[in-house]
Amino acid sequence: MATPAPKYPKPMKATSNGVFQGDDPLDYALPLAIVQICLVLVLTRVLAYVLRPLRQPRVVAEIIGGILLGPSALGRSEKYLHTIFPPKSLTVLDTLANLGLLFFLFLVGLELDPKSLRRTGKKALCIAGAGITVPFLLGIGTSFALRATISQGVKQAPFLVFMGVALSITAFPVLARILAELKLLTTDVGRMAMSAAAVNDVAAWILLALAIALSGSGSSPLVSLWVLLSGAGFVALCIFVGPPIFKWMAGRCSDGEHVDEIYVCATLAAVLAAGFVTDTIGIHALFGAFVLGVLVPKEGPFAGALVEKVEDLVSGLFLPLYFVSSGLKTNVATIQGAQSWGLLVLVIFTSCVGKIVGTVVVSLLCKMPIQEALTLGFLMNTKGLVELIVLNIGKDRGVLNDQTFAIMVLMALFTTFITTPIVISIYKPAKLAVTKYKHRTIERKDASKQVRLLSCFHSTKNIPTLINLIEVSRGTQKKEGLRVYAMHLMELSERPSAILMVNKAKKNGLPFWNKEEASDSNQVVVAFETFEQLSQVSIRPTTAISPMSTMHEDIITSAETKRVAMIILPFHKHQRLDGHFETTRNDLRNVNRKVLQQAPCSVGILVDRGLGGASHVSASNVDFTITILFFGGHDDREALAYGMRMAEHPGVTLVVVRLLVDPEVAGGSVKLDMNQNSTPDNQPQDEVVISSLKQRISNNASIKYEERTVKDAARTLDAIKSHNRCNLFLVGRMPEGQVIASLNKNSECPELGPIGNLLISSEYSTTASILVVQQYRSQLSQDALSSLEEGEISDGNESN
């Protein structure tokens, strides 16, 4: 008698015919997948919003969301589980999840730069080594306790390695995000953590490949050896073939131009092919994608274009499915009884102790301060998605049972959850900074002292004017006379990718000649490096990576830490070809306003009209005329002090125009409108600096001084317009005195003050760039503050 054919569950069709024809959409693969994705997205985003006050990375919300959707919470309802996540849909769900994961691991590989790994200092290597070795050994020790209790019968070798890897991993992408959000990415601790985590990441993947090879179903150890050797051969082949092809592709993609779609498509196809090969070998499809990501060159626009094309879809849609797939395997209810909970505590304890103690001890031996060593220990203890990948592979391979898997997932969640609150409580770099320093202004008694400037820029378009401004600011030929910190303002977007942050944060704040990675594709580095070599100026690069809403905090903290005398900010508008200004980004305007209100030193806002043209003007070719419009008051005196420094440059002609009220009308109607800041105390100080200026003129033919008396606002405007032929205007933000009181102060951009607004208005014809200066005072005048606040109100009205 013939044996009956086995009954298999009926495969799901892709699409339904619709409810009107009697079909239930949830019985079909595509509608069900859509419902699953939407449910996951809504839940994880809501959880991320709820956890935002606790400064938690999004991965915490995604892990919790996955657990809640699984049998630990909502999945306790059989009806829910069989309706939304029926067993027959799990193959489609896991396929989509793993496809997303494949491309995510490619992105993780993109974030790792092999060149920077080769240059990793001995200190970071030692810290990474301790951060892997100690928890790995403790993980092996813990595995014996687990095998003796809840994991009896599993293969010893793969279980030991899986437990060691699970406890020793540091989640590189999650760590980058935490550091950026805590504004630690560009600190010494942040750079050390990123370097050590990158080394840790590579070591963990190698160990995981070993664990997977050992966990194969083949009984012969030769099979595991063949898997390892084939995997090593694949990596060697990729290293030999991949880089030349990727470099050729990257070489054909120039900055500022659209990256050809064929290159992106070819790379993504190569990622899938590499995944297929490693899956065929028996390691895992993820390894092929990761290896290719590491080999893609990080310089130039090609890597950025790949991130842009892939990341939003992968991180936004597919990756959350992986957390659900993981959550469906996690049943917290399996952790029952004192023994199981005791093992959970043991695993968490050994994970934290191994990672933190190992890192802290080696950090202290490397002579790091105790506070920084502790911070580094907790940062290196960050787990995340990479940890879940290890655990899921272990679960799929039968190395981890349900109870061990649940314990390990909770351990990963707990260690990541505690990182941010603990780091915030023990390490506050802003408060550690020395906030008391003397020279907070350009104007000072001893003009020979070193001047420090913090020059900010947000795009490469600002750089030529900025470099030419630094050139004329250097004063005397002594290199130590001027130190400039060139700060790149980079927005921290909602994207989880760390590639941009990691690359920009490397060696942040060190001299350019220390930057071995200054490749010719990095326009910013090359421009400043070339200028530093040609000029007598010490330039240090620095980066602010922050949301625009808190960018001002980075600028202010950096200015205070570096003890600068002036912050130079780019104006939030750029000039069009027709000469009119249009807004680049309105949130840059808010950054400028907040810096003006809270700065620990003087502030200059640079309106860029192409000072010196589109390239650096060498010192011997500088021929600039700089005009100062002097009315009186603190800000004008600061502008004059800066101008006097510029006048020391052999290629600069300084023209100082002092506008005075005509004695015939002094005391008349103009005086009634007099600015409340024009106190009698200011007038003697103005006379002192003008007197000093006149003495300098006798010894310096490059300085010209003239006084213009005016009777009314119209004559004042005429006097200003007669000096429109210059390269740069230097003006105070809030001038004081009777002349300025007669002008209309209703201005479109209060951060520029009345004269700055006049110089950018369409009625004033000039090609000169403008530097609007505000002098540091412990308490700004009421007028200065109220003008900025009025601007904020008008902004709000415009946006409504």
Side-chain angles (χ1 to χ4, degrees):
M1 185 177 172
T3 54
K7 289 186 179 180
Y8 293 105
K10 191 178 177 184
M12 296 181 83
K13 285 186 179 179
T15 56
S16 72
N17 293 319
V19 290
F20 295 112
Q21 296 191 40
D23 283 354
D24 182 355
L26 296 183
D27 288 337
Y28 296 83
L30 181 63
L32 184 58
I34 291 170
V35 170
Q36 290 168 343
I37 291 171
C38 292
L39 181 63
V40 175
L41 287 180
V42 170
L43 182 61
T44 53
R45 294 292 171 157
V46 168
L47 283 170
Y49 180 78
V50 170
L51 293 172
R52 190 178 291 171
L54 299 175
R55 308 282 290 273
Q56 291 298 323
R58 201 168 85 192
V59 69
V60 170
E62 288 169 332
I63 294 173
I64 294 172
I67 293 171
L68 291 178
L69 290 172
S72 302
L74 295 173
R76 287 175 177 269
S77 164
E78 290 288 326
K79 187 177 180 184
Y80 153 82
L81 207 57
H82 285 289
T83 305
I84 305 298
F85 297 105
K88 59 185 177 180
S89 76
L90 296 184
T91 304
V92 175
L93 181 71
D94 284 346
T95 303
L96 287 173
N98 278 285
L99 188 64
L101 195 62
L102 188 80
F103 285 111
F104 180 78
L105 263 292
F106 171 67
L107 294 176
V108 171
L110 267 176
E111 292 169 5
L112 281 174
D113 188 355
K115 290 180 184 176
S116 67
L117 283 179
R118 285 199 296 270
R119 286 191 298 273
T120 301
K122 290 180 182 176
K123 191 189 286 189
L125 278 173
C126 291
I127 290 168
I132 296 168
T133 310
V134 178
F136 190 85
L137 293 174
L138 286 175
I140 290 174
T142 308
S143 69
F144 286 108
L146 290 170
R147 280 189 80 242
T149 50
I150 61 172
S151 295
Q152 294 173 354
V154 297
K155 284 186 182 178
Q156 184 169 355
F159 186 64
L160 296 185
V161 181
F162 264 106
M163 287 299 296
V165 172
L167 264 64
S168 61
I169 265 180
T170 296
F172 181 76
V174 179
L175 177 65
R177 189 77 198 179
I178 289 174
L179 287 169
E181 290 186 350
L182 296 184
K183 300 185 186 299
L184 298 178
L185 195 64
T186 55
T187 63
D188 290 341
V189 170
R191 285 194 295 276
M192 188 63 69
M194 289 306 291
S195 297
V199 175
N200 192 307
D201 221 25
V202 172
W205 283 108
I206 293 168
L207 289 169
L208 182 57
L210 174 65
I212 292 171
L214 291 172
S215 65
S217 55
S219 55
S220 170
L222 280 175
V223 174
S224 298
L225 183 63
W226 272 115
V227 170
L228 272 177
L229 289 174
S230 301
F234 168 77
V235 173
L237 183 67
C238 285
I239 290 171
F240 182 72
V241 175
I245 296 172
F246 287 133
K247 279 181 183 173
W248 178 80
M249 286 183 181
R252 297 178 71 86
C253 306
S254 55
D255 280 306
E257 291 184 15
H258 182 70
V259 175
D260 201 328
E261 188 186 356
I262 188 71
Y263 301 134
V264 176
C265 189
T267 305
L268 298 184
V271 171
L272 292 171
F276 173 79
V277 171
T278 48
D279 193 73
T280 305
I281 289 169
I283 307 178
H284 199 286
L286 306 179
F287 279 91
F290 177 74
V291 169
L292 276 199
V294 172
L295 296 177
V296 172
K298 308 303 181 279
E299 300 86 6
F302 185 54
L306 287 170
V307 171
E308 202 172 313
K309 302 279 185 188
V310 176
E311 187 173 38
D312 291 338
L313 184 66
V314 169
S315 300
L317 283 179
F318 291 129
L319 203 56
L321 291 178
Y322 190 77
F323 292 98
V324 176
S325 175
S326 178
L328 289 170
K329 300 171 193 168
T330 309
N331 191 354
V332 178
T334 58
I335 307 174
Q336 291 178 339
Q339 185 190 63
S340 293
W341 287 104
L343 288 169
L344 173 62
V345 173
L346 175 69
V347 168
I348 290 173
F349 179 76
T350 50
S351 171
C352 293
V353 167
K355 196 64 130 173
I356 296 166
V357 172
T359 304
V360 169
V361 169
V362 175
S363 301
L364 292 174
L365 290 174
C366 292
K367 298 181 179 176
M368 281 182 74
I370 181 69
Q371 202 172 22
E372 291 189 6
L374 268 173
T375 305
L376 197 55
F378 278 102
L379 286 170
M380 294 295 288
N381 197 35
T382 304
K383 303 288 192 285
L385 179 61
V386 183
E387 173 82 0
L388 280 191
I389 294 167
V390 173
L391 299 178
N392 276 285
I393 293 172
K395 179 86 163 60
D396 294 341
R397 298 266 168 157
V399 177
L400 304 177
N401 61 24
D402 289 351
Q403 200 170 344
T404 311
F405 182 78
I407 285 173
M408 298 303 289
V409 168
L410 291 182
M411 177 274 291
L413 182 62
F414 177 80
T415 52
T416 308
F417 191 90
I418 63 171
T419 301
T420 305
I422 290 177
V423 169
I424 288 172
S425 64
I426 63 175
Y427 187 70
K428 299 182 176 68
K431 292 191 176 178
L432 293 174
V434 179
T435 55
K436 292 183 180 178
Y437 65 99
K438 188 177 178 183
H439 298 301
R440 295 173 182 266
T441 61
I442 305 283
E443 186 185 18
R444 56 188 68 173
K445 289 179 182 177
D446 186 359
S448 64
K449 293 279 186 185
Q450 184 190 60
V451 171
R452 296 186 175 199
L453 301 177
L454 178 65
S455 298
C456 304
F457 62 96
H458 53 78
S459 76
T460 52
K461 292 176 184 174
N462 307 133
I463 291 176
T465 292
L466 201 55
I467 286 179
N468 290 328
L469 179 67
I470 294 167
E471 169 62 43
V472 297
S473 302
R474 65 184 171 86
T476 57
Q477 294 293 322
K478 291 185 295 182
K479 186 159 185 172
E480 62 272 12
L482 178 67
R483 172 169 290 179
V484 178
Y485 296 93
M487 176 176 271
H488 193 173
L489 306 179
M490 294 182 62
E491 183 178 14
L492 176 64
S493 66
E494 284 299 312
R495 284 182 167 175
S497 172
I499 180 169
L500 208 57
M501 301 186 291
V502 175
N503 287 340
K504 289 293 179 184
K506 274 187 234 160
K507 302 217 171 198
N508 176 49
L510 296 178
F512 274 108
W513 41 264
N514 266 358
K515 287 186 74 110
E516 292 173 30
E517 71 270 17
S519 62
D520 54 5
S521 62
N522 192 331
Q523 298 174 26
V524 176
V525 172
V526 170
F528 282 116
E529 185 183 35
T530 306
F531 173 64
E532 184 180 35
Q533 289 171 355
L534 293 173
S535 72
Q536 297 291 318
V537 180
S538 167
I539 299 187
R540 303 250 175 130
T542 179
T543 314
I545 303 169
S546 181
M548 295 305 284
S549 58
T550 59
M551 183 71 77
H552 65 284
E553 294 174 10
D554 294 60
I555 297 170
I556 290 164
T557 301
S558 187
E560 216 157 13
T561 309
K562 293 169 173 54
R563 303 179 176 214
V564 301
M566 180 177 283
I567 301 166
I568 296 175
L569 300 166
F571 187 45
H572 72 279
K573 294 185 177 185
H574 67 273
Q575 191 174 31
R576 298 193 310 235
L577 291 173
D578 62 4
H580 292 281
F581 282 90
E582 68 178 7
T583 301
T584 308
R585 288 188 59 171
N586 211 47
D587 42 15
L588 286 169
R589 180 182 201 175
N590 295 326
V591 171
N592 289 357
R593 283 196 180 138
K594 287 172 182 172
V595 172
L596 284 166
Q597 288 170 331
Q598 302 169 28
C601 59
S602 295
V603 181
I605 294 183
L606 180 62
V607 180
D608 183 3
R609 279 195 176 114
L611 177 64
S615 60
H616 165 225
V617 180
S618 63
S620 58
N621 293 331
V622 170
D623 185 17
F624 290 166
T625 300
I626 297 171
T627 301
I628 296 176
L629 300 173
F630 188 90
F631 295 86
H634 294 85
D635 295 350
D636 279 20
R637 290 198 295 275
E638 183 74 355
L640 182 59
Y642 197 178
M644 296 290 280
R645 181 179 181 84
M646 291 178 173
E648 295 174 9
H649 193 288
V652 168
T653 301
L654 180 68
V655 179
V656 181
V657 182
R658 188 182 189 190
L659 291 114
L660 297 166
V661 69
D662 194 312
E664 293 178 16
V665 295
S669 60
V670 174
K671 195 171 183 179
L672 294 175
D673 294 330
M674 190 170 163
N675 189 311
Q676 63 179 7
N677 292 326
S678 181
T679 59
D681 294 340
N682 277 327
Q683 293 167 8
Q685 291 177 27
D686 292 343
E687 298 304 328
V688 169
V689 296
I690 292 297
S691 174
S692 172
L693 169 67
K694 289 175 180 176
Q695 289 175 5
R696 289 277 296 276
I697 290 173
S698 59
N699 302 322
N700 192 340
S702 65
I703 304 176
K704 296 175 183 176
Y705 173 74
E706 63 177 273
E707 291 184 354
R708 300 284 292 269
T709 55
V710 293
K711 292 184 178 181
D712 51 30
R715 300 283 175 88
T716 304
L717 294 175
D718 289 341
I720 294 171
K721 286 178 179 178
S722 66
H723 289 88
N724 63 347
R725 291 176 179 270
C726 64
N727 301 94
L728 177 69
F729 276 107
L730 260 176
V731 297
R733 189 176 90 81
M734 297 298 289
E736 300 166 16
Q738 295 184 43
V739 177
I740 202 70
S742 67
L743 293 176
N744 179 16
K745 293 198 193 65
N746 294 331
S747 51
E748 183 188 347
C749 302
E751 62 270 29
L752 294 185
I755 303 303
N757 272 280
L758 173 66
L759 295 175
I760 67 162
S761 65
S762 55
E763 62 190 60
Y764 189 84
S765 174
T766 183
T767 57
S769 296
I770 307 155
L771 185 64
V772 181
V773 174
Q774 174 182 280
Q775 187 176 56
Y776 168 76
R777 281 177 275 173
S778 55
Q779 181 62 51
L780 286 178
S781 68
Q782 191 56 46
D783 261 20
L785 289 170
S786 60
S787 67
L788 294 170
E789 287 162 9
E790 284 168 18
E792 286 171 14
I793 292 167
S794 66
D795 273 359
N797 292 338
E798 284 170 21
S799 61
N800 288 340

